[in-house]
Amino acid sequence: MVVCAALGLHAQTTVNVRGSVKDALTNEELIGVTVLVIETGNGTVTDINGNFELTVPVNNTLRISYVGYSNQEIVITNQTVLEINLQPKTQLMDEVVVVGYSAQKKSTLTGAVAPVNVDDMERRRVADVRQALQGQVAGVQVTQSTGAPGDEIDIRIRGEGTIGNNNPLYVVDGVPTRELAFINPSDIESMTVLKDASAAAIYGSRASAGVIVITTKGGAAGKTKFEANFYSGIQYASNLPKMLNAEQYMNVVEKAWNNAGYSGTNPYTADKGRSDFADTDWLDELFEPGHMQNIQMTASGGSDKLQYLLSLGYVNQDGIVVYDNDKYKRFNFRTNINANLTERIKIGTNMQLSYAVQDKLSSKGDAPGIIRHALLRPPVIPVFKSPDDPTYSERNPFTDLPFYVHNNRDTGGWESDKYEWTQNPIALAYFTDDTHSHFKTFGNIFGEISFLPEKELTFRTNAGIDLNFLHDKAFYANFGDDDGGGSQIDRGLGRQNRPNGLNEYRGEELTFTWNNTLSYNKMFNLHSLNALVGSEFITNYGSGINASRRRYEYDTEKFRYIDFGSTEQDLWNGGSGSEWALMSYFTSLTYVYDMRYMLTANFRADASSRFAEKNRWGYFPSLSIGWKLSEEQFLKKQEWLSDLKLRASIGQLGNQEIANYAYLTLIKKDGDKYLISRYGNPDLKWETTTQYNVGLDVGVLRNRLYFTADYFQKYTTDILLPISLPSIVGDVQPTIVNAGEVSNRGWEFGITLRNSESAFKYNINANISTVKNRVEKLHPNLPSLVGSVTRTEPGQPLNAYYGYVFEGVYQNTNEIKTHLHGTTNPTPVPGDIRFKDLNGDGRIDDNDRNFIGDPNPGLLYGLNFSGSYKNFDVAILFQGVGNVDRYNDSKKIIDYDTRPFNYTTNILNAWDGEGSTNTIPRVSFTDNGSSRISSIFVEDASYLRLKNVEVGYSFTNIRKLGLQNIRIYVSAQNLFTLTNYTGLDPESTDLIDMGTYPQSRSFICGINFSF
C-alpha cells in the first residue's frame, strides 16, 4: 500500500521525496532498505527509523527493495511524502526456480526439485561452492575427500547409483560441466538440485546421478554499485588421536617382545633410558596453524537497455601441515553483460576466467604417506639429527633410519630391527614439490527474440565454452640415509627418491556446447501452458603430453625442468588425445489448470559417440503430475492452510560416463605381429536409471511453516562393467559390457520455519533423508567384484566390507580348544582375537567370512538457523551422517601391527591376563589375529558436526561516509564433532582410511561493504 500527499508541484522537474518503509504485516520500521531511482541510478537506504529522503526527477521510477521482501516500484509525479509497506516473501509461492532450459514457478513444480537457500550458503566461508551445499538439501550428500586445501569434493544425490561414475551434472548459466571448483561461491545467484527423473530427464544421457543447475549473478538497472568482501582466518588440526609418549612406547614394545615368546634378552628393556632417545609428538610436529584469505569485489549497474556486472575474486589457503607445501590459490574474474536491443531482442554474455594452483601432498595415506607416517613413527626418534652426526647436512638435517650411526650397512648402521623403517613425515612434507595448476575459461553468449503480441513465443540460442589448460609438475628430491641399496650408479644416495627425478604433464581440453530452444508461455483463462522444444550439440576434444627424467645433478628450483635431467637413461615421454560428441533433441510441456491440476512431461533423445552406431541413440522420457488440494473449494476457506500439494513422477535417465572408444577392439604391434589388446563390444549401450517419486508439500500460516516429503525408488540397469577374459585368450584389457543392476530407495523430509513479523527475525531449515542401497544383479561371469577389503555382489550394498567377524578376545587355553574344536594344534594363544565360527565346524577359515559393514550412508541430515535482531545477525549450521561404516586401516597398522610402530593410548588397555578385557587383544610382535580382514577394523563412521557459526553486525546509517552498508562478522567452522570413529576424520570418502588429512577447525574475521 502507498499513501501519497500531493502538494501540486506538477511544474517542477524534480521532487524532494521523504518517506518511511515498514513491514506490511507488523508495521515495524525496516532499516537499510534500498531506495533507487531506476533511470538515474541515484539512491539511498533507510535509516535506523526506517526513513529516507531523496531528490527524484518527475516521472522517474523509485524501486524499493529489501532482502526477504517483494520489490515495489512507484512512479513519482507530484508526491513528496511516501508511506511504503513491503510484503514479506514468505507469503509468496510464485518464486521462480530455474529447472533446466527454462524457469518455472515454485507453486507449479511437480518433480523433486530443491531450490537451495543461497543466503544460508553465503554464510559458509569456504573456497569451493560444493562445500557450501553441505547440509542444505535433503538427499544430497556432500563430502570432502580430505581436509587438504584444493582436494576433491564429492556430491551424491540419492545415493550411489552405479558401479562407475556417480558424479552429478552441473549446469552453469546453461552450460553443462562435470566440475565446479572453478566457481567463486560469492558469484552464485541461485542453485537448484534436480533430484528425480521428472526434473532431470530434460538432460537425458548425463543426468542419472542428478543435476545441479546454477545461475550466476548479473547486473541491475541503476547507479553503479560497488561491493567488497574480505575475510581472513586461522585453521587448526582437530580430533587428533592421542599417541604414546616415549616412556609409554618403550613399555609397550617391551611387552610386545615378551608376548611374542622370543628367547634371549629383551632389547627394549636394555634400551630404556638411552640418552639419545627423544620424546617426539609427531602429530604435533607435523601440524601447525594454517591460514586463509579471501577477497571478493563486485561492480554492477546499468540502465533498462544495458546491465553489467564485473566480479573479481581471490582465495588463498595454506593448509595445516608444516612447510607450506599444501597451499591452494585461486583467482577468479567474471563479467556479465545483458543488453535489451529492443523490446523483443536481448543478447548477453557471461564469461569467467579462473586460475587455480594446488601444492599437493599425499593426503589419503597414499605414498609417500605423510599423515600415515606421522602416526607410525616411534616417539623415541627425534625430528632432526644432531650436527655431530656424521650424516648430518644443512640441506637434509632430518632423521631417517632409526639411530643411523655408521654410513655402512654391513656394520649395522641403523637399528631398524627394533624401531622399523618408517619415514620422517616432517622431511616428507619439506621435500614435497608437487604442483597442479588449472586455467579455465568458461562461459556463454546468447541471443533471445520474442514473438507474438504478448511475447508468448521466445527463441533462444546459447553457445557455451569450457576450455581447460592443465599443468602438473612434480619433482622428487633425493634425501634420507644411505641404506646401501639402489643401482650401481646411484651408490651413496639417500634411500628416498633414489635417484631424484621430475615428472611433468601438460594437457588441454575444450568442450563446446550449442543449444537452441523455442518456448511458448500462455495463459488461457484457467489454463496455463508452458511448452519448449530444443536441440543441443556438445563436442569435446582433449589432448596431453607428459615427460619425465631422472638424475638431476642440480636440484634447486631453477633447474627443475626436463632439459636438466640426465639423458643417458630413464627417459620417458608420451602423449595422447581423445574426443567425443553428443547430439540431442528434447521437448518439455507443463500444463496447469486453475492452479489445481498440474502436469509436466519431458522427453530427450541423445546420440553419443561413445557407443556403437546401432546403440548410439538413447531415449529418456519422464512424466509428473501434481494436485494442489489447497485450491479446492473444500480447503480453500481454511485460512491456516496456505499450500497443500501432492506430487508423483516417473522417468528415465542415462549415463554415458565411460572411456571413449570402449566399443572398439584395440590392437597393438608386437614386432612383426599385430595383437589384440582389448576386445570391443559393439552391443554396448546406455546405462539407464528409472526413477519413481511421490511427494507432498504443505504450507501453513502464510507459509511461515513449510514441510516437504518425498519417497523415491531408483533402479539403474545395464550398468557398464569391465569383464576380464580368461588368460587363455591372452593378455588383454577387460571388455566393457552391460551387466549390473543397482537399486536405491529412501525418504526425504524438509521443513522450514520463518518469522519476519517481529523484531527478532529467524529462518530455520531442517532436512533429513534415508537411502537403502542394494546390488540387484551382476554379470554371470562376474558373480562378485572383489576388492582388498570389500565385495560387491547381488543382495548386498555396493562395496560392502567383507571379512571375519570379531567376537572378543580369547581369555584362556581352554576357551581356544573349545571354540576351535575342529582344528588340531591351534595357533592362537590367550589374548588373541576370537573370530566367529559362522558355519560351526570348529575352524576359522575362508568359509567364516561374511559382510561386515556398509560404506554407503543410510541417513543424512542438516539443520540451518539464521536470525537477526536489529543490526545483529547469526547463522548456525549442523550437519551429520548416520548408518555408515568405514574400514580404519590406520587403526590396524598402529594398534594391531606386529612391527614396532607407535600406538595410540588405547593400547594401554590391551589384554593383559584373563578377564582384563574382551575388546583389545594382547600387544605382540607376532600375529594376534589382526592380520585378517575383520570387523574389528570396521567402525561406525556416523557423525554430527557443527559446521559453521557466524555472527555479524551491520552499520547502516553511514551515508556520510559515502557507504551504503558495512557488515563485520566472525565465523567459526568445524567447532566440534560427535562421533565414535577413531580415525582422523569420519567424513573421509575413501573405502579404506589409511590416514586421512583431517578437516581443520577454523576461526575467521571478515568485513563486507557496499557503496
Side-chain angles (χ1 to χ4, degrees):
M1 179 181 71
V2 179
V3 178
C4 305
L7 299 181
L9 301 177
H10 296 283
Q12 290 186 230
T13 58
T14 61
V15 178
N16 190 43
V17 178
R18 293 180 292 110
S20 64
V21 184
K22 298 180 180 180
D23 185 300
L25 299 178
T26 66
N27 206 38
E28 177 190 359
E29 296 86 0
L30 297 178
I31 304 169
V33 177
T34 299
V35 183
L36 178 74
V37 181
I38 294 178
E39 289 80 359
T40 67
N42 293 326
T44 185
V45 294
T46 57
D47 60 22
I48 195 169
N49 298 312
N51 299 323
F52 71 91
E53 185 173 348
L54 187 67
T55 299
V56 184
V58 173
N59 295 323
N60 281 18
T61 303
L62 276 187
R63 175 184 291 152
I64 300 92
S65 59
Y66 194 55
V67 175
Y69 291 78
S70 298
N71 291 349
Q72 195 170 135
E73 294 186 358
I74 305 168
V75 177
I76 301 299
T77 54
N78 60 355
Q79 309 99 311
T80 59
V81 179
L82 301 177
E83 294 182 6
I84 301 166
N85 296 307
L86 291 184
Q87 197 75 20
K89 283 185 177 179
T90 55
Q91 292 196 96
L92 304 177
M93 283 300 294
D94 284 338
E95 176 184 350
V96 175
V97 178
V98 180
V99 293
Y101 298 90
S102 61
Q104 191 174 339
K105 290 183 178 180
K106 186 177 180 180
S107 58
T108 63
L109 292 174
T110 52
V113 176
V116 180
N117 190 321
V118 176
D119 291 337
D120 286 340
M121 286 180 57
E122 286 184 348
R123 304 299 175 90
R124 296 291 310 279
R125 307 302 168 182
V126 292
D128 194 307
V129 68
R130 290 170 294 185
Q131 294 171 269
L133 185 59
Q134 198 167 34
Q136 302 285 344
V137 179
V140 178
Q141 180 192 6
V142 181
T143 309
Q144 292 181 238
S145 58
T146 81
D151 267 8
E152 188 55 37
I153 296 172
D154 294 328
I155 294 183
R156 295 292 180 265
I157 299 176
R158 293 185 165 180
E160 301 274 348
T162 181
I163 296 170
N165 192 312
N166 282 279
N167 294 323
L169 177 69
Y170 307 109
V171 180
V172 182
D173 295 322
V175 182
T177 180
R178 282 293 179 183
E179 55 122 1
L180 209 57
F182 65 95
I183 291 185
N184 188 335
S186 299
D187 281 339
I188 291 182
E189 175 72 25
S190 69
M191 178 183 290
T192 307
V193 182
L194 312 183
K195 297 190 286 188
D196 72 342
S198 70
I202 195 71
Y203 292 105
S205 64
R206 299 200 287 168
S208 64
V211 180
I212 298 178
V213 181
I214 294 174
T215 302
T216 56
K217 294 177 181 178
K223 182 180 178 181
T224 298
K225 180 180 180 181
F226 295 94
E227 295 180 87
N229 184 16
F230 169 79
Y231 66 79
S232 180
I234 190 168
Q235 301 170 301
Y236 300 93
S238 60
N239 302 319
L240 298 179
K242 183 66 176 175
M243 308 301 293
L244 298 184
N245 60 31
E247 181 181 359
Q248 293 169 325
Y249 170 79
M250 292 305 297
N251 290 335
V252 169
V253 292
E254 179 185 36
K255 182 180 292 186
W257 196 92
N258 290 332
N259 288 344
Y262 297 144
S263 60
T265 302
N266 189 322
Y268 299 103
T269 303
D271 271 3
K272 284 186 174 182
R274 276 176 51 168
S275 61
D276 58 344
F277 274 1
D279 190 4
T280 305
D281 184 336
W282 286 101
L283 291 178
D284 185 62
E285 296 288 343
L286 181 66
F287 294 118
E288 66 177 6
H291 302 273
M292 62 186 303
Q293 297 85 34
N294 183 289
I295 301 173
Q296 165 75 23
M297 294 182 289
T298 303
S300 62
S303 64
D304 288 343
K305 295 293 185 181
L306 181 71
Q307 303 87 44
Y308 62 88
L309 180 142
L310 299 175
S311 172
L312 182 66
Y314 170 71
V315 60
N316 180 18
Q317 185 175 358
D318 184 4
I320 54 177
V321 170
V322 294
Y323 294 125
D324 301 338
N325 286 323
D326 56 342
K327 286 184 176 180
Y328 175 76
K329 295 184 294 184
R330 189 184 68 233
F331 300 86
N332 288 88
F333 174 76
R334 188 172 69 88
T335 177
N336 179 293
I337 300 174
N338 294 306
N340 301 313
L341 301 183
T342 70
E343 290 186 356
R344 294 180 177 272
I345 300 177
K346 181 180 180 180
I347 61 173
T349 181
N350 190 347
M351 191 64 64
Q352 53 186 311
L353 307 176
S354 73
Y355 178 66
V357 180
Q358 181 192 20
D359 293 323
K360 182 156 181 69
L361 48 73
S362 57
S363 56
K364 295 186 176 183
D366 48 333
I370 292 175
I371 312 297
R372 189 174 178 86
H373 281 285
L375 297 169
L376 299 181
R377 196 155 175 89
V380 296
I381 304 175
V383 176
F384 299 100
K385 293 177 179 179
S386 167
D388 297 332
D389 191 313
T391 62
Y392 175 88
S393 70
E394 290 187 5
R395 175 192 171 274
N396 180 15
F398 305 99
T399 61
D400 183 29
L401 291 170
F403 307 105
Y404 193 94
V405 180
H406 308 290
N407 193 21
N408 188 331
R409 180 176 184 176
D410 297 331
T411 60
W414 57 89
E415 300 177 70
S416 60
D417 291 341
K418 285 190 290 184
Y419 302 106
E420 199 46 54
W421 289 38
T422 58
Q423 297 184 44
N424 186 330
I426 314 303
L428 291 174
Y430 177 80
F431 286 107
T432 293
D433 181 8
D434 187 359
T435 303
H436 297 223
S437 62
H438 183 184
F439 177 81
K440 175 186 279 284
T441 299
F442 184 94
N444 69 305
I445 182 170
F446 72 90
E448 191 174 282
I449 182 169
S450 299
F451 303 94
L452 302 182
E454 298 180 4
K455 304 179 184 178
E456 303 98 320
L457 186 65
T458 301
F459 172 77
R460 180 184 175 97
T461 184
N462 182 76
I465 185 174
D466 185 355
L467 177 62
N468 300 273
F469 295 97
L470 305 172
H471 181 205
D472 301 340
K473 183 178 180 181
F475 188 85
Y476 304 97
N478 175 254
F479 65 98
D481 292 328
D482 174 21
D483 62 359
S487 64
Q488 188 63 39
I489 61 174
D490 298 322
R491 294 294 181 187
L493 295 179
R495 66 187 181 111
Q496 310 297 341
N497 301 325
R498 183 175 50 208
N500 63 18
L502 173 69
N503 292 350
E504 191 165 2
Y505 167 82
R506 292 183 183 270
E508 62 180 14
E509 183 181 19
L510 171 64
T511 303
F512 176 76
T513 302
W514 183 34
N515 54 59
N516 298 275
T517 59
L518 186 65
S519 60
Y520 180 77
N521 297 278
K522 183 68 175 178
M523 288 283 297
F524 305 91
N525 297 322
L526 298 179
H527 308 274
S528 174
L529 182 66
N530 186 332
L532 178 142
V533 294
S535 66
E536 185 169 65
F537 173 69
I538 302 175
T539 181
N540 170 279
Y541 174 77
S543 65
I545 58 174
N546 60 84
S548 65
R549 287 191 186 178
R550 297 291 179 264
R551 297 182 179 86
Y552 281 70
E553 183 176 357
Y554 304 102
D555 65 356
T556 59
E557 185 175 351
K558 292 182 178 180
F559 290 92
R560 294 181 178 182
Y561 295 93
I562 292 294
D563 272 358
F564 294 105
S566 171
T567 59
E568 295 181 4
Q569 58 182 5
D570 297 334
L571 302 176
W572 295 275
N573 59 73
S576 64
S578 64
E579 57 186 345
W580 58 268
L582 192 70
M583 185 67 210
S584 310
Y585 300 96
F586 51 88
T587 183
S588 176
L589 173 69
T590 297
Y591 170 72
V592 180
Y593 174 73
D594 196 22
M595 287 303 294
R596 289 183 292 166
Y597 311 114
M598 306 155 192
L599 179 147
T600 297
N602 294 297
F603 180 79
R604 180 162 177 141
D606 283 331
S608 172
S609 65
R610 288 177 170 167
F611 301 96
E613 188 171 351
K614 66 178 181 179
N615 291 321
R616 186 153 290 170
W617 283 95
Y619 305 98
F620 308 99
S622 74
L623 178 68
S624 61
I625 56 175
W627 178 21
K628 199 163 189 177
L629 284 80
S630 55
E631 292 297 316
E632 298 288 355
Q633 290 301 319
F634 59 89
L635 288 177
K636 202 168 186 178
K637 295 181 180 180
Q638 303 297 321
E639 295 184 1
W640 61 272
L641 183 65
S642 309
D643 186 43
L644 178 60
K645 182 168 62 176
L646 292 174
R647 299 176 280 106
S649 69
I650 182 174
Q652 288 189 324
L653 306 167
N655 184 7
Q656 64 146 12
E657 296 305 310
I658 58 172
N660 296 326
Y661 324 120
Y663 66 93
L664 295 174
T665 296
L666 301 183
I667 60 174
K668 62 182 179 181
K669 188 176 182 181
D670 184 9
D672 295 331
K673 299 179 181 179
Y674 288 91
L675 303 177
I676 293 177
S677 60
R678 184 192 70 198
Y679 285 93
N681 179 10
D683 297 322
L684 200 63
K685 60 181 180 180
W686 296 94
E687 193 173 287
T688 303
T689 296
T690 303
Q691 207 171 150
Y692 308 88
N693 194 93
V694 178
L696 171 70
D697 301 329
V698 183
V700 299
L701 304 176
R702 297 194 299 275
N703 290 323
R704 295 177 197 163
L705 179 64
Y706 204 83
F707 172 79
T708 63
D710 285 271
Y711 174 75
F712 70 90
Q713 293 184 356
K714 185 167 74 169
Y715 298 93
T716 302
T717 59
D718 293 323
I719 288 178
L720 301 162
L721 289 175
I723 301 295
S724 297
L725 299 178
S727 58
I728 193 174
V729 178
D731 183 17
V732 295
Q733 302 173 22
T735 297
I736 305 296
V737 300
N738 295 98
E741 296 183 9
V742 173
S743 67
N744 286 277
R745 61 190 66 196
W747 290 89
E748 297 169 352
F749 303 97
I751 188 168
T752 300
L753 178 62
R754 304 181 178 97
N755 176 24
S756 60
E757 301 177 7
S758 62
F760 176 58
K761 299 176 176 59
Y762 61 82
N763 188 79
I764 301 173
N765 295 312
N767 64 81
I768 188 170
S769 59
T770 66
V771 62
K772 181 66 175 178
N773 177 270
R774 175 186 167 98
V775 178
E776 304 290 345
K777 180 183 176 183
L778 291 176
H779 193 275
N781 294 337
L782 191 69
S784 61
L785 297 173
V786 179
S788 58
V789 300
T790 62
R791 177 170 295 203
T792 296
E793 66 179 43
Q796 299 294 330
L798 280 168
N799 297 311
Y801 295 117
Y802 188 80
Y804 297 91
V805 179
F806 169 80
E807 63 172 6
V809 176
Y810 288 118
Q811 299 298 319
N812 51 56
T813 304
N814 185 59
E815 179 185 345
I816 297 172
K817 291 180 179 179
T818 302
H819 185 62
L820 300 179
H821 56 82
T823 303
T824 58
N825 301 317
T827 55
V829 298
D832 284 355
I833 296 172
R834 171 174 168 153
F835 298 108
K836 193 170 185 178
D837 183 10
L838 295 180
N839 61 1
D841 64 354
R843 301 172 182 269
I844 302 299
D845 53 27
D846 287 351
N847 297 320
D848 296 303
R849 293 183 298 169
N850 203 351
F851 291 94
I852 54 177
D854 183 359
N856 303 283
L859 181 69
L860 306 171
Y861 55 94
L863 174 64
N864 265 290
F865 171 84
S866 59
S868 63
Y869 178 75
K870 294 186 177 179
N871 289 25
F872 289 94
D873 62 83
V874 62
I876 301 173
L877 169 64
F878 287 93
Q879 179 263 334
V881 173
N883 300 334
V884 60
D885 300 311
R886 189 77 64 233
Y887 188 87
N888 189 354
D889 184 76
S890 59
K891 173 182 177 179
K892 177 179 180 180
I893 198 169
I894 297 170
D895 286 346
Y896 292 82
D897 203 84
T898 58
R899 290 166 287 182
F901 299 137
N902 199 7
Y903 305 80
T904 68
T905 53
N906 293 330
I907 204 66
L908 300 178
N909 298 315
W911 188 90
D912 196 25
E914 185 171 351
S916 57
T917 182
N918 198 36
T919 56
I920 303 177
R922 67 189 177 99
V923 60
S924 176
F925 290 151
T926 56
D927 186 14
N928 59 10
S930 60
S931 61
R932 297 178 188 263
I933 305 299
S934 72
S935 59
I936 198 171
F937 307 120
V938 177
E939 297 185 348
D940 180 5
S942 304
Y943 69 88
L944 168 64
R945 182 166 275 169
L946 178 54
K947 272 290 183 182
N948 189 68
V949 176
E950 182 168 297
V951 178
Y953 182 84
S954 297
F955 300 88
T956 54
N957 193 20
I958 51 176
R959 286 178 292 170
K960 294 180 180 180
L961 301 177
L963 299 172
Q964 290 188 6
N965 180 70
I966 293 180
R967 178 176 179 267
I968 58 173
Y969 57 88
V970 292
S971 178
Q973 298 182 14
N974 298 324
L975 277 180
F976 70 80
T977 302
L978 301 179
T979 184
N980 292 323
Y981 187 67
T982 63
L984 291 175
D985 193 347
E987 196 174 318
S988 169
T989 57
D990 287 347
L991 292 172
I992 304 175
D993 182 358
M994 300 178 65
T996 301
Y997 190 120
Q999 291 195 49
S1000 55
R1001 181 179 294 140
S1002 61
F1003 300 93
I1004 296 168
C1005 295
I1007 180 171
N1008 52 343
F1009 53 88
S1010 58
F1011 56 92

